[in-house]
Amino acid sequence: MASVPLLTALHDGPDRPDALRVDGRACSYEELLGAAGAVARRVSGRDAFAVEAGATLETVAAVVGGLLAGVPVVPLAPDAGPDERAHVLRDSGAEVVAVDFAERADFSPAADGARSDRVDGARADGARAGRADGGRADGAGEPGGGGKRPALVLYTSGTTGPPKGVMISREAIAADLDALARAWQWTADDTLVHGLPLFHVHGLVLGVLGALRVGSRLVHTGRPTPAAYAAAGGSLYFGVPTVWHRVVRDGEAARALSGARLLVSGSAPLPVPVFTGLAELTGHEPVERYGMTESLITVSARADGPRRPGAVGTALPGITTRIAESADGIGELQLTGPTLFDGYLGRPEATAASYTEDGWFRTGDIAAIDPDGSHRIVGRASTDLIKSGGYRIGAGEVENALLAHPAVREAAVVGAPHADLGQEIVAYVVADGVSATELTDFVATRLSVHKRPRRVAFLGELPRNAMGKPQKRLLPPI
C-alpha cells in the first residue's frame, strides 16, 4: 500500500532562499532536501533513530530525513535529564543520530531500495519501530496498525509514570494538517511564526511539518519572546498561553502583531484575561484549539467563525466527539477520527485502556459541549474535576475567576481531601498586594459561592513544563 504523501510543498511548492528560518539561520527547500537526503542515507534500514530536537535546522533536516527514509523519528528534548533520556532511548530502542546540515545527498528510493515520503513511506515490510509490539485497541499488533511504521514516536510528559512513546502515522499527520489548513485558511501565502519546542506536536507537527505541507514560509524565533514575535512580521502566529501572557504584558510588542492575520493559542487553556488583552492590544481575538499527543488537534475555532474566551471551538472535519454520561453535562471528552495515534510503543495494555469498549478514545479531559457545538475544556479528570460538597467544579473556571483580579498574575486550582466536603478547593496564586480572604471573596462574587477557594497559597511562580503548562503534581502541599 502506497503511503500518504506528506511534505507536498517541500517537494512540489515554489522554492525561495528563506523558505525556513530557524533561530536566525535560513535555508531553501532545495537546501533542506539535500541535508535531509544525507540523513536519510545514514538512517536507511534502521528500526528507528533519535535526534536532539533543539530549535535548529538540523532538527528539521533529521525529521524530514526520517520521513524520506520511512524510518521512525524519536525527538529528544534537549533539556531532558539523564534518567528521562536513558528511558526514552531504552524504551524506543533508538540511537541518537548527529546531523550536519552542511552535508548534502540525493536520496532516491529507486537507488537503494529504501522507502521514502513519496513511495511507500508508511509500510514496514515486517520491521518494527524499536521494541514496538503495541497496537490499536482494535487488535492491530504492529506499530501503526496493519504493519505500518510510525512517522514519529513522541514521548508524553509522564505525569502518571515513565513517559510513553506515542506512535503517530503520516496518515494521521496529513489528515490533521489538512483539516487545520481549512479551519485556519492557512495557505502558501502565509508566513508562520513561532518559537515553540520541536519535540512536541505543537512546535514540530503543526509548526514545522504544517509549513512544509502547506508551503507557507516558516520563521522559528528560537525563543518565543515578545520582541522576537514582534520583529518577525508574520501573518500567522502560534503560541502557548505563557507566550501570549508575556506578549500582553509588553504592549509595544502586542501592538506590533496587529498586522497579522491570525493568532493561535494551544497546549493549555488560555486565561480569559489574556484572551481579552490580546483582542484589545492587537485587534485580533485569538483562535484557541484543543488536542493531545495521542490525537493531534481535534477541536478548533475557525478563522472565519466566532471565538469566545474559555472555548476551544468545534470538532474538525472527520472528528466526532462526545461527553461521557453526566447528569450536569460535564464529563470526560471522548472522540474518534483519522488523527488518532496508533498505540503506545510496546504497551498494548495501555493502548487498550485508552479506548472505551465501543472504540472511542478516552482523552482524560473533562469538558462540556455547548448547543452550538463549541467545546469548553474544564481540565484533566485526575486533577481538575473537583467534587466538593456534592458539586462538580472545574478548576479552570475558578482559575479564570482568580486571574480576573488585577493583582493575580498566575493561578492554579486543585482539590484537596476534606473530611466533610470530600474535596475542598485550594488555590495557588502568584500575586502582589492582596490577601487570601480578598481573593476568596472576589471569586465568590463572580462564581457560585460553593466554587470559592477554601485555602489560598502564595507562590513566587508556578511549576511549568517546556510548553508552559502548570504542573500541578509539583505544587507544594499546604
Side-chain angles (χ1 to χ4, degrees), residues 24-365:
R25 296 166 60 203
C27 75
S28 65
Y29 287 162
E30 181 180 3
E31 291 169 321
L32 175 58
L33 279 171
V39 174
R41 281 192 176 277
R42 291 181 58 197
V43 304
S44 180
R46 298 192 186 207
D47 287 337
F49 74 98
V51 62
E52 302 274 5
T56 64
L57 289 175
E58 285 76 12
T59 297
V60 179
V63 173
V64 174
L67 291 169
L68 292 174
V71 177
V73 184
V74 183
L76 282 172
D79 61 350
D83 290 347
E84 179 182 346
R85 179 187 176 91
H87 165 74
V88 170
L89 295 177
R90 182 175 59 251
D91 188 69
S92 65
E95 294 182 359
V96 177
V97 170
V99 178
D100 180 358
F101 193 79
E103 186 179 358
R104 299 284 188 270
D106 292 328
F107 183 77
S108 169
D112 58 17
R115 310 301 190 266
S116 80
D117 182 54
R118 302 299 292 271
V119 182
D120 282 347
R123 191 168 65 191
D125 282 359
R128 297 184 176 213
R131 295 173 46 250
D133 58 2
R136 284 283 299 274
D138 57 14
E142 296 293 328
K148 294 184 296 184
R149 303 172 93 180
L152 300 171
V153 181
L154 301 179
Y155 276 77
T156 61
S157 58
T159 56
T160 57
K164 298 189 290 290
V166 177
M167 298 187 291
I168 302 176
S169 70
R170 69 183 59 220
E171 289 85 356
I173 295 171
D176 202 51
L177 294 177
D178 289 347
L180 289 173
R182 292 192 295 272
W184 299 340
Q185 299 177 358
W186 183 5
T187 72
D189 293 329
D190 279 306
T191 293
L192 169 63
V193 177
H194 73 90
L196 303 173
L198 300 188
F199 48 90
H200 285 296
V201 166
H202 197 167
L204 178 59
V205 177
L206 275 62
V208 173
L209 300 185
L212 296 179
R213 184 167 180 82
V214 171
S216 61
R217 182 169 171 262
L218 169 63
V219 177
H220 190 290
T221 59
R223 296 182 63 240
T225 65
Y229 273 37
S235 60
L236 175 62
Y237 285 80
F238 290 169
V240 297
T242 300
V243 172
W244 294 126
H245 179 253
R246 292 171 180 169
V247 168
V248 167
R249 292 177 64 186
D250 186 333
E252 183 178 354
R255 285 185 286 272
L257 303 186
S258 61
R261 185 179 63 79
L262 208 64
L263 310 180
V264 179
S265 182
S267 297
L270 185 68
V272 172
V274 179
F275 182 104
T276 56
L278 282 173
E280 291 170 0
L281 290 168
T282 70
H284 298 291
E285 293 182 330
V287 162
E288 291 193 70
R289 89 300 184 279
Y290 165 82
M292 301 176 62
T293 304
E294 291 89 340
S295 68
L296 302 182
I297 308 307
T298 51
V299 177
S300 178
R302 304 304 199 262
D304 58 355
R307 304 163 207 171
R308 299 203 309 270
V312 293
T314 56
L316 292 174
I319 303 295
T320 305
T321 61
R322 73 182 184 187
I323 299 297
E325 290 187 17
S326 171
D328 54 8
I330 298 176
E332 183 188 42
L333 181 65
Q334 300 174 354
L335 56 89
T336 64
T339 67
L340 285 169
F341 73 141
D342 285 333
Y344 294 112
L345 185 65
R347 289 172 170 79
E349 295 85 2
T351 301
S354 66
Y355 286 85
T356 64
E357 290 186 1
D358 57 348
W360 290 65
F361 175 66
R362 304 176 185 271
T363 67
D365 284 322

Side-chain angles (χ1 to χ4, degrees), residues 419-444:
D420 180 47
L421 299 172
Q423 286 183 302
E424 64 175 347
I425 300 172
V426 177
Y428 294 81
V429 298
V430 179
D432 296 312
V434 65
S435 69
T437 299
E438 288 174 304
L439 291 179
T440 295
D441 293 343
F442 180 78
V443 172

